[in-house]
Amino acid sequence: GNVISGRNAVTMLRSSKLLVAVGLFAVVTLAAAGPPLDAEAKAAKAARKAEARAKVGSANRPQTDRERFTPEMMEGRRKASALFAAIVEPKAPKTVTFPLSADDDLKFHAAREGLMEYVTKSAETYDLNNEDTKKSLRDKTTSNQDKTRELLVTAVQAGQTLQQARVGLIIAQFESLPAETQEESLAKGRERMEKMPAGARDKAGQRQLSKHNEELGQLADLKTDADKEAWVNKRYQPSVRKVPKMLEETK
């Protein structure tokens, strides 16, 4: 029994480290125009898993936040994922340096949760059974994608790397949230960062810096604004002119 318990403990520790690493990667790669278009499918799958786990339960560990989510809550998150790019307005990137300052680092790590919390609440006001509402959200999604691209191009032409512009844009979006939402997300982000395995945060910062330096080398060879725009367009490729299935026109 003790051997099995020891193995379980090791497995849980490894799983915990993996979840933290995945969380960091998700934040670093958060698309400036919103989550990937398959977010709906992922949210629906998560809802099914959470419902199944809630029924089975476990005497060996408490339920995770995801397992405590009701089907209604998961549906709300799914809706928020679909509306993310339409609701979160693109912002001119905040000028940042790598490694990030302690303040910017905390905001960056708190941004994903803060933005999703804001979108989840805002999404409740939209009736997706109304075709006019869906059309308006489709139009807003694509226009926000275009605006995001323009802001990134402008930032790179002004001397920033795409890594700087992406991270700065996410932080700027976070700073535009209501003060209460920012405070709550910062508190949770601070707590989460304190629980990170030793060195995990440093490695994330090193990856950011490495990407930044790599792009600096590439941009040094580009002399014109047109060259820099083409360089950005090649690297920033959201699903252009596509919208989440939830917003598609009913046929």
Side-chain angles (χ1 to χ4, degrees):
N2 291 335
V3 174
I4 294 176
S5 297
R7 289 177 178 173
N8 286 341
V10 172
T11 300
M12 290 176 68
L13 178 60
R14 289 175 177 172
S15 298
S16 175
K17 290 183 178 180
L18 178 60
L19 285 172
V20 170
V22 170
L24 278 171
F25 179 77
V27 171
V28 173
T29 58
L30 178 66
L37 292 175
D38 62 353
E40 290 179 277
K42 290 181 179 179
K45 183 178 180 180
R48 292 193 296 271
K49 284 186 176 180
E51 187 174 3
R53 287 172 181 168
K55 290 179 180 179
V56 175
S58 174
N60 298 323
R61 60 170 176 77
Q63 288 182 315
T64 64
D65 288 340
R66 174 168 289 182
E67 291 169 347
R68 283 193 290 268
F69 282 166
T70 64
E72 291 76 17
M73 293 169 66
M74 291 304 299
E75 178 63 20
R77 298 287 287 189
R78 178 169 169 263
K79 182 179 180 181
S81 294
L83 273 60
F84 191 102
I87 292 176
V88 178
E89 295 282 346
K91 300 293 180 182
K94 178 180 181 178
T95 301
V96 299
T97 57
F98 297 112
L100 292 173
S101 67
D103 184 58
D104 284 340
D105 193 31
L106 177 57
K107 289 179 180 178
F108 184 63
H109 282 85
R112 181 179 179 85
E113 185 170 357
L115 290 169
M116 279 302 296
E117 180 66 22
Y118 172 74
V119 173
T120 299
K121 292 180 179 178
S122 301
E124 295 175 357
T125 65
Y126 293 93
D127 178 12
L128 299 189
N129 291 318
N130 185 298
E131 291 299 324
D132 289 337
T133 297
K134 289 169 66 174
K135 182 181 184 305
S136 175
L137 289 168
R138 288 197 300 271
D139 293 343
K140 191 65 175 176
T141 296
T142 54
S143 67
N144 279 352
Q145 287 179 344
D146 290 340
K147 182 62 176 177
T148 296
R149 184 185 299 279
E150 292 172 6
L151 289 169
L152 295 177
V153 168
T154 298
V156 169
Q157 290 175 339
Q160 295 187 42
T161 64
L162 185 56
Q163 179 72 1
Q164 279 180 301
R166 281 179 179 272
V167 173
L169 188 147
I170 292 169
I171 294 175
Q173 289 175 320
F174 177 77
E175 291 180 339
S176 72
L177 293 175
E180 183 178 353
T181 302
Q182 288 190 52
E183 291 172 6
E184 292 176 356
S185 299
L186 288 171
K188 292 179 181 178
R190 188 178 295 108
E191 181 180 357
R192 186 167 55 250
M193 291 174 72
E194 289 173 352
K195 294 179 180 179
M196 286 182 182
R201 199 166 95 191
D202 290 339
K203 288 181 180 179
Q206 290 169 5
R207 286 194 296 270
Q208 290 178 336
L209 179 59
S210 176
K211 185 65 175 177
H212 168 66
N213 288 335
E214 177 186 336
E215 291 180 351
L216 278 177
Q218 296 171 1
L219 288 167
D221 296 329
L222 306 180
K223 304 304 180 184
T224 68
D225 283 349
D227 289 339
K228 292 178 181 178
E229 181 175 3
W231 182 87
V232 171
N233 288 338
K234 184 177 180 180
R235 287 157 181 78
Y236 174 69
Q237 296 180 339
S239 298
V240 181
R241 296 304 174 192
K242 290 185 178 180
V243 295
K245 290 182 180 180
M246 192 177 284
L247 297 182
E248 290 179 352
E249 184 176 4
T250 302
K251 297 180 180 179

